[in-house]
Amino acid sequence: MIPSEDSSARKKTIEEKLKQEEETLAFIKESLEKSDQLTNNMVSILSSFESRLMKLENSIIPVHKQTETLQRLQENVDRTLSCLDHVISYYHVATETERIIKEGPSGRLEEYLGCIAKIQKAVEYFQDNNPDSPELNRVKSLFERGKESLDTEFRSLLQRYSKPVPPILILDLIGTEEELEGQEEAVLEHLPEGILQDVIRISKWLVEYGRNQDFMNVYYQIRSSQLDRSIKGLKDHLRKNSSSSGITYSPAVQNKRKDTPTKKPAKRPVFVPGTIRKAQNLLKQYSQHGLDGKKGGSSLGVLEGLEQESRGRYHGEAVGEKHGPASGKEDALDLETDTYIYCISAFVRLAQSEYQLLTYIIPEHHQKKTFDSLIQETLDNLIQEGENIVSAAKKANARHDFTSVLSIFPILRHLKLTKPEFDKVLQGTAAGTKNKLPNLITSIEATGAKALEDFADCIKNEPKETSVSKDGTVHEITSNAILFLQQLLEFQETAGAMLASQESSSTASTYNSEFNRRLLSTYICKVLGNLQLRLTHRLKPYEDPALKAIFLHNNFNYILKSLEKSELLQLVSVTQKEPDDTYRGHIEAQIQIYQRSWLKVTDYLNDKNMPVIQGSKLKDKERQIIKEHFKGFNEGLEELCKIQKSWAIPDKRQRERIRQAQKSIVLEAYAAFLQRYGTGVNFTKNPEKYIKYSVEQVGDMIEKLFDTSA
């Protein structure tokens, strides 16, 4: 029974599943039918829509093509009208711009250049499209007139606003090399900024469109004139202030000026005015009044003063300021020298400034040539002035006025110091321009070298005999020679270079500071040797050998002290060993010669030929011998003191030394002689007749030697 029930249940289940599947298939069939119906409906709708679109397209495309054609026609019409307006505008350019062109560009440069640009385009149009049009000639005429107006405006602006640089500003510009902290390099403002920009715009237009280089000639002519006027103004300023308290420096020395177109305050010039003339004036005073202002005075103070005056730096002194009783001729020489030095420095600074200005205005490929032309006149004037100074130095040398020749030494030194800047400024100019300064330097070196050699020869072979002083003091030849050599200390490198310039070319490669120093040392030794030889020849007027010795002593001592009180000793020592010992030996030799003059006095005080005292009673012959010795001593002492009192030994130390040495010798001998024959020896009834002086009195008499005031 059980298996039968299970089979029935399974059968029932299967029947239910079949029924469900049938229902599902019926539902799917129904759905497919509905889907087919919807698809057919959609296809029908799409077909209808496609048909309508085709009809619409067939209607719109012709309209679109017609519209596009109309738009193209409209654009062509607009372009044609625009071209017509543009062409017609060229016919109106002359009328629109004629008034502005006639009135000129002054005060409205940009507007004027705009009108010129319109005219230029009109010219180009007519030349390309209608060369026979009368309008072409009209606009051409306006263009040429506009170009001429720009040329005129360029010239007018430069002439109106170009001014010489004031001397005070030039002095500011060439101040000392010591830069103040926080200060910028000074820059001159040659033209107001607005005017400069106008000039630059005009020059660029003239280069680009004017095709005219005449404005460059105008530029260099105007600026050259102002440069020359600036230098001449500086000269006039220096000369005008030469007799006053000094150069009127810019107030910027103390406070930076608000209206000064420079960017740093002024400083004192580095030059030392009147140095040579100052020392020469001191020498004249000394020559007239003795080494210390009176005969018999000390020479040390004067030597110190002379060294300070001849070698000292007087910062801030005015060019041409009076120093002592200098003559007008000497002051004029100093002023000429110092002014020339200032002008050389001023030219370099102003030329640098002019070139900087020129680079803004002149096209690059024309700058060097224009600059060369611009500086030519001023440079030629300076070189000619330098040549005149050289010519004057040659004339002074010919008449043996060697102190005047010294004026070229500071000039040469300054030219050499300035030459690197000079060469930098003239870089790119013509060879003839570059060579002008080197040629001048060469000429000055040759003139200076000849003057040095002529001076040395003149010391040895002085053509004009000069008298010697009766008192045997320092000779004028000695003082002049030493002064000249002391002046060379200020220009050691310069003087050495002068001498080196005359050396053979084979040694040119060895030229350096040490070589020049050795040449100068050799030269100074030559001068001193010639001086010594000359002094020995000047002894002829002196008949007294003692006075000859005093004369040589004074001169040798003056030379030695001068060497010691300056750098001359170190300079001479470069080529001569221990020159000071050599002169001390000469001095000692002359002192010994002088002391021999007292032998005729002291010989009476020795025991030679004197009687031997035995007892209190003397023979008549013995008394007579003693009397003659006392008498000879008295007369010799009085004679020597009278003669030598008027002699001069300017050096106080030497004077005292010689006095004391002679005093010691004479007093020792006289005291001993008095002790032997003056006391206790009855050789005369009138002892005061023969024993006229005590030892102290003799000492006092010797103390008065070499002193006319005693």
Side-chain angles (χ1 to χ4, degrees):
M1 287 293 292
I2 294 173
S4 175
E5 290 177 357
D6 290 337
S7 174
S8 173
R10 276 198 235 63
K11 185 177 179 180
K12 187 177 179 179
T13 302
I14 291 170
E15 289 176 352
E16 289 177 354
K17 288 182 178 180
L18 289 172
K19 186 178 179 180
Q20 289 176 353
E21 289 177 355
E22 288 176 356
E23 290 176 356
T24 301
L25 289 171
F27 177 75
I28 291 172
K29 184 177 180 182
E30 184 181 357
S31 296
L32 288 172
E33 289 175 353
K34 288 181 179 181
S35 177
D36 289 340
Q37 184 179 358
L38 290 173
T39 299
N40 292 331
N41 292 338
M42 181 59 69
V43 170
S44 175
I45 292 171
L46 290 175
S47 297
S48 176
F49 183 71
E50 182 180 7
S51 175
R52 290 179 181 180
L53 282 177
M54 289 180 66
K55 290 179 180 180
L56 181 61
E57 183 177 356
N58 292 332
S59 301
I60 291 300
I61 287 177
V63 175
H64 175 70
K65 289 182 177 180
Q66 291 177 0
T67 302
E68 191 176 50
T69 301
L70 290 174
Q71 287 178 343
R72 190 178 298 111
L73 290 173
Q74 179 65 39
E75 289 176 359
N76 290 337
V77 169
D78 290 341
R79 288 196 187 98
T80 302
L81 290 175
S82 177
C83 289
L84 287 173
D85 289 340
H86 183 67
V87 171
I88 292 171
S89 68
Y90 288 128
Y91 287 87
H92 295 160
V93 165
T95 303
E96 292 173 353
T97 60
E98 186 173 14
R99 180 182 61 83
I100 296 176
I101 295 301
K102 287 182 178 180
E103 291 176 356
S106 181
R108 51 180 178 186
L109 180 62
E110 289 302 324
E111 181 183 4
Y112 193 86
L113 291 176
C115 291
I116 291 288
K118 290 181 180 180
I119 295 172
Q120 188 175 12
K121 289 180 180 179
V123 171
E124 292 172 354
Y125 170 79
F126 288 118
Q127 284 178 337
D128 294 339
N129 299 283
N130 192 3
D132 297 328
S133 173
E135 284 296 322
L136 176 60
N137 294 331
R138 188 178 179 191
V139 291
K140 268 188 174 182
S141 175
L142 280 177
F143 183 80
E144 292 300 322
R145 185 168 184 174
K147 187 170 68 172
E148 291 175 1
S149 296
L150 287 175
D151 278 330
T152 303
E153 180 70 4
F154 183 85
R155 179 190 295 271
S156 176
L157 289 176
L158 283 177
Q159 288 179 333
R160 194 181 315 142
Y161 293 98
S162 291
K163 305 294 182 184
V165 181
I168 289 178
L169 298 189
I170 297 177
L171 292 174
D172 289 353
L173 197 64
I174 60 175
T176 60
E177 297 175 356
E178 300 174 358
E179 299 295 334
L180 298 181
E181 294 183 4
Q183 296 296 334
E184 300 179 2
E185 186 68 22
V187 178
L188 286 176
E189 186 181 76
H190 294 286
L191 297 171
E193 183 61 28
I195 301 302
L196 176 60
Q197 294 304 319
D198 285 351
V199 171
I200 293 173
R201 288 281 289 117
I202 294 174
S203 69
K204 286 182 177 179
W205 190 94
L206 290 173
V207 170
E208 186 174 358
Y209 302 109
R211 291 167 177 75
N212 181 4
Q213 297 181 3
D214 291 344
F215 78 95
M216 299 180 197
N217 296 332
V218 171
Y219 177 83
Y220 91 70
Q221 289 169 0
I222 294 175
R223 292 308 307 169
S224 175
S225 174
Q226 299 308 320
L227 175 61
D228 192 52
R229 289 176 62 191
S230 297
I231 295 296
K232 289 179 179 177
L234 176 62
K235 288 180 185 177
D236 293 341
H237 176 79
L238 296 176
R239 289 165 180 163
K240 186 185 301 181
N241 288 276
S242 63
S243 58
S244 63
S245 59
I247 295 175
T248 308
Y249 290 96
S250 168
V253 173
Q254 289 80 24
N255 300 293
K256 189 172 182 182
R257 293 189 328 189
K258 296 181 179 180
D259 60 341
T260 302
T262 59
K263 296 184 179 179
K264 69 177 181 181
K267 307 177 186 68
R268 294 293 189 186
V270 296
F271 314 116
V272 185
T275 300
I276 297 169
R277 197 63 52 211
K278 195 166 190 177
Q280 185 185 17
N281 295 335
L282 282 177
L283 172 67
K284 288 187 175 181
Q285 297 178 51
Y286 144 74
S287 300
Q288 294 169 357
H289 304 293
L291 289 174
D292 63 351
K294 64 178 182 179
K295 290 185 179 179
S298 171
S299 66
L300 296 179
V302 170
L303 286 171
E304 292 171 357
L306 185 59
E307 181 188 26
Q308 293 172 357
E309 296 294 342
S310 64
R311 301 178 55 225
R313 296 284 185 181
Y314 292 87
H315 294 292
E317 290 184 14
V319 173
E321 183 176 339
K322 305 295 184 183
H323 303 293
S327 69
K329 179 181 178 182
E330 293 165 349
D331 287 337
L333 180 60
D334 267 341
L335 178 60
E336 181 183 10
T337 299
D338 298 328
T339 299
Y340 187 71
I341 289 175
Y342 272 96
C343 288
I344 288 293
S345 290
F347 172 79
V348 173
R349 294 290 180 266
L350 292 176
Q352 289 172 341
S353 184
E354 286 290 347
Y355 186 76
Q356 186 177 6
L357 176 65
L358 178 144
T359 57
Y360 297 128
I361 299 172
I362 303 300
E364 183 176 1
H365 55 288
H366 291 288
Q367 288 174 2
K368 293 298 183 181
K369 182 179 179 181
T370 304
F371 180 69
D372 194 340
S373 301
L374 189 155
I375 63 172
Q376 204 62 231
E377 181 181 357
T378 305
L379 179 59
D380 286 344
N381 290 341
L382 286 175
I383 296 300
Q384 183 60 51
E385 189 174 346
E387 291 173 352
N388 291 341
I389 292 175
V390 171
S391 178
K394 289 179 178 178
K395 292 178 181 178
N397 185 46
R399 62 177 182 269
H400 293 166
D401 181 8
F402 297 107
T403 51
S404 296
V405 178
L406 282 172
S407 64
I408 67 174
F409 281 67
I411 292 176
L412 178 60
R413 178 174 63 182
H414 187 69
L415 289 178
K416 286 196 166 186
L417 289 174
T418 311
K419 188 176 182 297
E421 286 186 276
F422 220 102
D423 292 341
K424 186 177 179 181
V425 170
L426 300 184
Q427 187 177 5
T429 57
T433 303
K434 292 179 183 177
N435 292 334
K436 287 180 179 180
L437 183 66
N439 291 342
L440 178 60
I441 289 176
T442 300
S443 177
I444 295 177
E445 282 183 335
T447 302
K450 187 176 188 309
L452 291 175
E453 291 302 323
D454 287 353
F455 176 76
D457 292 341
C458 184
I459 292 296
K460 183 179 179 181
N461 306 306
E462 188 180 12
K464 183 179 68 174
E465 290 292 336
T466 54
S467 61
V468 294
S469 61
K470 295 179 180 180
D471 58 6
T473 190
V474 178
H475 196 276
E476 182 182 0
I477 295 176
T478 303
S479 56
N480 285 341
I482 292 300
L483 176 63
F484 185 85
L485 295 180
Q486 285 177 333
Q487 299 312 307
L488 293 185
L489 291 176
E490 280 294 312
F491 314 102
Q492 292 185 41
E493 187 65 29
T494 303
M498 285 179 173
L499 296 170
S501 69
Q502 304 306 303
E503 293 292 305
S504 61
S505 58
S506 61
T507 59
S509 59
T510 64
Y511 290 174
N512 53 47
S513 296
E514 184 58 31
F515 178 76
N516 294 348
R517 183 174 172 83
R518 290 187 66 83
L519 282 178
L520 183 58
S521 175
T522 302
Y523 171 77
I524 292 176
C525 291
K526 177 182 178 181
V527 172
L528 293 176
N530 290 351
L531 177 60
Q532 184 174 341
L533 184 62
R534 186 65 184 170
L535 289 173
T536 57
H537 290 167
R538 297 302 302 142
L539 296 176
K540 294 178 182 179
Y542 297 123
E543 297 180 357
D544 192 332
L547 184 53
K548 292 180 180 180
I550 290 296
F551 173 77
L552 290 177
H553 163 272
N554 286 334
N555 283 274
F556 290 148
N557 183 66
Y558 180 82
I559 294 171
L560 175 61
K561 295 302 179 183
S562 299
L563 293 177
E564 291 177 335
K565 296 296 290 183
S566 67
E567 296 178 25
L568 283 173
L569 184 61
Q570 293 91 321
L571 197 54
V572 173
S573 299
V574 173
T575 53
Q576 181 178 331
K577 292 183 179 179
E578 301 177 348
D580 50 341
D581 289 344
T582 301
Y583 277 102
R584 288 191 183 96
H586 293 331
I587 292 170
E588 290 302 319
Q590 298 308 317
I591 291 176
Q592 291 176 11
I593 294 174
Y594 163 74
Q595 288 176 342
R596 292 175 195 163
S597 68
W598 282 82
L599 291 178
K600 66 180 181 181
V601 176
T602 56
D603 280 350
Y604 287 106
L605 302 178
N606 59 41
D607 291 334
K608 186 179 180 181
N609 299 324
M610 291 296 290
V612 179
I613 306 299
Q614 295 178 351
S616 58
K617 202 166 185 180
L618 298 175
K619 297 178 182 180
D620 291 342
K621 185 178 179 180
E622 292 174 337
R623 284 196 296 269
Q624 187 62 33
I625 291 174
I626 295 174
K627 288 179 182 179
E628 288 176 355
H629 274 253
F630 271 108
K631 182 180 179 182
F633 171 79
N634 292 334
E635 291 176 350
L637 176 66
E638 290 169 354
E639 180 184 3
L640 283 182
C641 288
K642 180 181 179 181
I643 293 173
Q644 295 183 9
K645 182 179 181 181
S646 62
W647 295 358
I649 299 181
D651 188 331
K652 183 177 180 180
R653 291 181 182 178
Q654 286 294 105
R655 185 168 66 246
E656 287 302 316
R657 177 190 169 203
I658 293 174
R659 283 173 178 170
Q660 294 306 318
Q662 201 59 50
K663 185 177 176 182
S664 175
I665 295 171
V666 174
L667 293 189
E668 182 180 353
Y670 187 58
F673 190 80
L674 276 180
Q675 187 175 3
R676 289 195 301 270
Y677 303 104
T679 4
V681 177
N682 187 14
F683 67 91
T684 180
K685 294 180 180 179
N686 301 307
E688 66 277 359
K689 177 180 178 181
Y690 296 98
I691 307 176
K692 296 176 65 174
Y693 305 107
S694 65
V695 174
E696 291 76 13
Q697 287 174 326
V698 172
D700 291 341
M701 293 175 70
I702 295 176
E703 284 289 342
K704 295 177 181 179
L705 294 177
F706 318 119
D707 188 356
T708 56
S709 62

